[in-house]
Amino acid sequence: MKRVKDMVAAANSTVDHAPASALMDLYGQGDVTFVDLRDPRELDREGMIPGAFHCPRGMLEFWIDPESPYAKPQFQTGNRIVFYCASGWRSALSAQVAQEMGLPNVSHIEDGFSGWKKAGGPVGDKPAKS
């Protein structure tokens, strides 16, 4: 059986990643989009990075592909994309998939939203609608 920890390690060997404390200086820059991959229940419980775009992990490939009927403009801007989840596992796999699909300039927060909060990053309520 292929183990998820091995899949995450493989993804981290091919995609840019850093702890939240190192990526906080990107927050608020107009050419950077933070993408929250967590389940809506996690957003309800914990909030999210203000201004981040919420993309449920199960929709990622469909929302990235510009030819998909579900494509989202947030993935077509050319902005740097910084993915995050709770602890950096889903975001590692998501950044790898996005990179494989041809999305340029992707990275992820290796210690996730928990690292963001621990580093003192801003936290807001979830948006009304994705």
Side-chain angles (χ1 to χ4, degrees):
M1 173 183 278
K2 193 173 192 177
R3 305 286 183 203
V4 73
K5 68 179 181 176
D6 297 328
M7 293 171 65
V8 169
N12 278 331
S13 73
T14 64
V15 298
D16 290 334
H17 59 284
S21 59
L23 294 173
M24 289 178 76
D25 64 333
L26 297 176
Y27 178 72
Q29 292 185 18
D31 60 347
V32 177
T33 302
F34 283 82
V35 177
D36 192 319
L37 299 158
R38 295 174 303 141
D39 180 275
R41 291 171 295 219
E42 292 173 280
L43 274 60
D44 286 342
R45 275 193 315 267
E46 301 174 33
M48 63 188 292
I49 296 174
F53 176 66
H54 177 237
C55 175
R57 175 60 189 97
M59 293 304 295
L60 181 66
E61 292 84 350
F62 302 99
W63 287 10
I64 288 174
D65 183 352
E67 295 181 13
S68 166
Y70 304 105
K72 295 289 187 181
Q74 290 83 349
F75 293 111
Q76 315 307 319
T77 64
N79 281 0
R80 176 176 182 174
I81 303 290
V82 179
F83 291 104
Y84 71 94
C85 61
S87 60
W89 288 30
R90 287 172 284 181
S91 59
L93 300 176
S94 297
Q96 182 181 41
V97 164
Q99 186 171 282
E100 289 171 352
M101 291 181 72
L103 201 63
N105 204 11
V106 300
S107 59
H108 82 97
I109 300 175
E110 68 186 23
D111 53 353
F113 190 63
S114 60
W116 181 265
K117 292 188 303 184
K118 186 175 181 180
V123 175
D125 293 332
K126 77 170 193 163
K129 196 95 161 112
S130 290

